Structure formats: C-alpha cells, structure tokens
Amino acid sequence: MLARRRVLLIVSGSVAAYKALELARLLGKAGAEVTGLLTGGGARFVTPHALQAITGRPLAADLWSLVEEGEGRGHIRLARTHDIVVVAPASADRIARMAAGFADDLAGAVLLAWDGPLLVAPAMNPTMWGHPATNANVATLLARGVTFVGPEEGPMAEAESGVGRLSEPPAILAAIERVLTDPTHGAPDAELEAALDAAIAGISGEDAAPRGGADRVTTRASSFSASSHPEAPHHLSGAEVHASSFSASWSSAAAVASHAVAGTASGALPLAGRHVIVTSGPTHEPLDPVRYIANRSSGKQGHAIAGALAALGARVTLVAGPVNVPDPQGVEVRHVETAREMLAAVEAALPADAAVMAAAVADWRPAEVATQKVKKGEGAAAPPLALVPNPDILATLSRHARRPRLVVGFAAETERVVEHACAKLARKGCDWIVANDVSGDVMGGDANAVHLVSAGGVEDWPRLPKGEVAARLADRVAEALR
Ligand code: CTP
C-alpha cells in the first residue's frame, strides 16, 4: 500500500535520530519514495550522507539554497509534491515550532506550507514530554488534525526512564499506513477542537455516565501535570490526556491519540455509548496463604486493548488479574485474583455490547486450599497436588443469556496456532479469536504477531507493538458494532 507513495521524512534533533534511517529503509522496502530532510539539530545526529544513501534521493537541505529553489525543490514545491509528511523523531523544540508556526528553517517553512496528512513521532526526555508547554503544543497540533505515534515508555538516554522514547520504526511505518488509508487523518475539522474536548471529558468521566473509575482517572491525569508541574491547569487538556495515557501505557500514541482525533474528526467517537468488558492478565490460584499457581501473562496486551477501546469512546470495564502494569486511563478496573472471581466480576459487569477476553485464565486450580502455610516437615514427601478445572469464562459468556453482541477470545498457542484457534472458536462459541504464538517472548514482551480468526476466515497481522495490535482490534470492534 506504500508503493510509490511520496513521503517527506523530516528528522529533527534527538539521539533517537538514528532510528529514522531504519524507518527510511523500511519505507523504501515497502515501495515508498522517501525524501529526507534534516533539521539543524537532526544533522548533528545523522549525517546527510547516510540519509541520502538510504533514501536514494537528494536531501532537501537548505531554505536559502538558490540551487534547490531553482531546481524546483524549494519549500513550497516540497509541500506540494508529497503524500504525507512524517516528523520522526520530533524533538520538543520542533513540536513547539510547529505549534507556533515558525518558518525560519526549511522544515518549518515546509510544515507551514503543508496542508496534507502529517504524522509526528515525538522523542524527548520524559520530563520535557510531561512539561505543560509540550502538553499545550501537542494539544494544539492534535486539534489541528495532526496524528501522533508514540512516544513510548522505556529506558532513555542519560540513564533515565519514562515516557519519551521514539516509537520503533515498524510502529511508525504502521502508523503511516493507517494515516494514508484513513481519510479522516490530517483533515482538520471545524468541530475538532470542541469534539476533542468532549472526548477528553468522556475519558476523564466529566460528562460521561457515572463510572467508578472516573475519580481515579481524573486524579491521575491531573497529578501527571500537577505533581511535576504545579502551574499546570487542572482541566484536562488534550495533551494531558494524550501524554498521561502514555505515561501509564506501553501502547503507541497512535493507539490513543490518532484514534481520539480520528473519532472526533467526524464529531462522535465510534464507540461512544457502548460498553465493552475486557479481561486481562493471569489469574492466581492459591495453594495456601503464601503459594499459588500462575502463568507468565503480563496483562500488557489486555490492558492496551482496554485503553484503545476507551480511546474510541467506549465505557470499558477491565477485569484484571494480578499484574504489574498500571490501570489504563479512562477505564473502570475490577481487580481480581482467581478465575472464579474473574467470572463473577465479568457477569456482574453485564450487560455489555462486546467482550474481549484477553486474560490467561488458569485452567485448573488446587482442589483444596490450605488455610495455613503447608510445612515441609522433616524428610516428609512432597505433598500431592490435586487440581480441579476452573470455569471457562469465555465459553460461559458466549452461551450466556445476556451474551454481548460481539464476544472475542484469545488463543495462546505454542504450535499449530491457527489450527488450534479455529478449534477454539468453535468450542468456545465466540465470534472471533485473536490467536498468538506464545512460544517466544510474547508473554511479557512488547510486541505481538496475531491472527484474527472468525467464521469469515483468518487474517494474519504483522508483528506489531501491543499498543498497535490493541488499536487495530479496537477499530475492528467499532466496525462490528457500527
Ligand atoms: N479462557 C477463559 N477461561 C478459562 C480459560 C480460558 O475465559 N478458564 C479464555 C481466555 O481468556 C482466552 C481463551 O479462553 O480468551 C483461550 O484461552 P487459552 O488459554 O488459549 O485456551 P484454553 O481454553 O485454556 O485451552 P488450551 O489450554 O487447551 O489451549
């Protein structure tokens, strides 16, 4: 789909600029025609020779070059001859310049003359990303219809960690594809700013139907700005929601920001008024007060799905097993421990329009739970471990009297993934199965390659960050409920 699409890649000053070379390579491999443009800061991290060699095209380099203007590669021409402009990495300074409309260098001039799809991939220190100035600049750009991908959470330069890492090149590539295929991207709407505010109010619970999680959401979002920057306004701005979503999330910003903008561009979020139940994480099945049976599920994928659905306007009840990831923004979370508690919480959350059962539920639990810690005893044999089956939450819900219209299960497989998933679809009675191969680093990792299995067939999705998988799945849920 990127074949012959003309991409102007603006690389600004960041230690992550080296990833722009990989992005350019991936774009070229996908058939895109890439023109590189290094800002002054970008040129301190990436050499013009490297970017030009990888794109195979002359760089756009100088606002004041008579040669470039004469050859028709001046800033206006650049702004007329591309299908998309991508700023990756986008430094805090570049984002500020874009928000203010500076045109004192070639990148600024091109961006000011550009009125097509614009994708921004920020990369900066977490404190800079969380600063109210950056918040306000991002909000300004979001309201203008700019799409963001990232930043991600993780270790940074200078031995710091937090939200600020540039998204990985495959995630930026996927975001470019999404922007180019979605006509609402990059098309500022007269109602956009108001609709974005409404969406944010919905996420924070300000105007939405009362939800148990709303207080916590508002508190976290405001503490994001207020704790680190006391002068930040209490009211949730677009950037606060955007940024705080990511401070609490491993998902790519495309998952939330571009979704919120895409949804608001047409005036209403696609899942507004819908209730979706999501399960996530493992369950713990106690043996005694200190021991339990568990599995390696981190909850990253399920939590990202809950966040992505909320970003599309859904009221989301997330039933979460014991995990170490934070609650997603704008989601009502029920924390449970065992499979039986998870089933009870899911049933209590009904009715719902859809359910996404991403939890790795323990299939068995100990037949008996000791009330006191089981002691080894001197030379005693290991105690036998008798197990009994747990209820199957997905199968129960699929056949429930109050079955949601759309029931989505997951299949964690280590071999014959699609074959097992097809069997699971029939056995459990759900509508779709998201099948993944968990033999590698999927459990606990940040990326996932899934197959979407339904009665209509099997779709193979590429390996993507879990936030991107979540965003795509949320889109599909929205489509199915439309
Ligand atoms: N699931 C569930 N309740 C269970 C077991 C699984 O709701 N007791 C759900 C999971 O949330 C997932 C789907 O069923 O959506 C498939 O889970 P998976 O662990 O892949 O399959 P199992 O049913 O456990 O089958 P098997 O262990 O044979 O692969």
Side-chain angles (χ1 to χ4, degrees):
M1 85 123 309
L2 284 170
R4 307 197 65 77
R5 303 308 288 266
R6 292 157 305 172
V7 179
L8 180 63
L9 175 60
I10 297 177
V11 180
S12 70
S14 156
V15 283
Y18 70 94
K19 289 189 189 173
L21 297 177
E22 174 63 4
L23 175 62
R25 193 186 68 76
L26 292 176
L27 281 163
K29 206 172 142 203
E33 295 169 6
V34 185
T35 303
L37 193 168
L38 283 174
T39 68
R44 290 177 179 267
F45 293 93
V46 165
T47 70
H49 298 92
L51 189 55
Q52 185 159 304
I54 285 180
T55 59
R57 288 190 156 63
L59 292 193
D62 187 356
L63 180 59
W64 304 109
S65 161
L66 289 173
V67 178
E68 288 188 13
E69 291 289 338
E71 287 177 352
R73 288 188 288 124
H75 65 284
I76 299 296
R77 179 92 183 124
L78 283 170
R80 298 287 174 270
T81 53
H82 288 88
D83 296 308
I84 184 169
V85 174
V86 179
V87 188
S91 63
D93 176 69
R94 182 54 52 184
I95 288 172
R97 285 165 176 277
M98 289 168 69
F102 281 11
D104 58 349
D105 64 3
L106 182 59
V110 170
L111 286 162
L112 207 55
W114 174 251
D115 59 2
L118 175 55
L119 180 73
V120 173
M124 67 194 76
N125 170 278
T127 311
M128 293 168 82
W129 174 247
H131 196 283
T134 308
N135 287 353
N137 293 330
V138 172
T140 300
L141 295 175
L142 279 170
R144 277 185 209 148
V146 174
T147 303
F148 281 75
V149 53
E152 310 285 341
E153 188 170 15
M156 307 281 299
E158 293 117 19
E160 293 194 23
S161 80
V163 177
R165 276 171 68 88
L166 181 68
S167 290
E168 291 304 319
I172 301 175
L173 187 77
I176 293 170
E177 284 183 350
R178 281 155 54 91
V179 170
L180 285 173
T181 47
D182 182 346
T184 60
H185 280 291
D189 187 296
E191 298 170 48
L192 189 61
E193 202 156 358
L196 189 60
D197 275 349
I200 289 157
I203 289 170
S204 71
E206 281 171 20
D207 291 329
R211 316 208 291 253
D215 284 352
R216 184 180 54 236
V217 171
T218 307
T219 305
R220 177 182 295 151
S222 51
S223 68
F224 165 77
S225 50
S227 62
S228 47
H229 303 287
E231 73 275 23
H234 186 78
H235 175 72
L236 295 174
S237 72
E240 284 172 54
V241 166
H242 172 89
S244 56
S245 297
F246 299 116
S247 69
S249 166
W250 46 90
S251 65
S252 81
V256 175
S258 67
H259 270 60
V261 172
T264 54
S266 57
L269 288 165
L271 285 172
R274 305 290 191 191
H275 178 212
V276 186
I277 302 172
V278 179
T279 65
S280 180
T283 62
H284 285 185
E285 309 296 334
L287 283 154
D288 69 15
V290 295
R291 302 181 179 97
Y292 56 82
I293 296 174
N295 60 61
R296 295 182 195 279
S297 170
S298 64
K300 287 182 178 179
Q301 186 63 82
H303 278 51
I305 291 167
L309 289 162
L312 290 189
R315 179 167 80 85
V316 179
T317 304
L318 172 63
V319 183
V323 291
N324 286 320
V325 292
D327 293 349
Q329 291 290 314
V331 166
E332 187 176 327
V333 187
R334 305 263 180 267
H335 294 281
V336 299
E337 196 180 339
T338 67
R340 286 184 296 174
E341 287 170 8
M342 189 172 272
L343 173 62
V346 165
E347 289 191 301
L350 290 170
D353 298 285
V356 181
M357 305 281 98
V361 185
D363 291 321
W364 303 281
R365 66 178 185 275
E368 277 176 24
V369 183
T371 52
Q372 303 300 330
K373 184 182 171 198
V374 177
K375 305 296 288 177
K376 286 201 289 292
E378 268 306 302
L385 183 57
L387 299 172
V388 292
N390 262 332
D392 190 312
I393 302 165
L394 177 61
T396 306
L397 198 63
S398 296
R399 298 182 175 104
H400 204 279
R402 290 191 292 163
R403 183 194 200 276
R405 178 139 67 95
L406 179 70
V407 179
V408 183
F410 268 66
E413 308 293 351
T414 55
E415 51 156 4
R416 295 186 287 156
V417 176
V418 171
E419 189 187 321
H420 283 312
C422 290
K424 237 166 234 181
L425 184 76
R427 195 169 70 239
K428 306 238 181 187
C430 56
D431 302 296
W432 305 343
I433 288 272
V434 180
N436 51 4
D437 185 342
V438 292
S439 55
D441 62 354
V442 166
M443 281 191 154
D446 293 321
N448 205 354
V450 306
H451 312 269
L452 185 63
V453 180
S454 69
V458 180
E459 267 178 42
D460 303 321
W461 292 5
R463 185 175 162 85
L464 295 167
K466 286 182 174 174
E468 190 64 30
V469 172
R472 286 191 181 204
L473 188 63
D475 274 344
R476 302 302 289 268
V477 170
E479 254 172 51
L481 294 183
R482 196 173 290 148

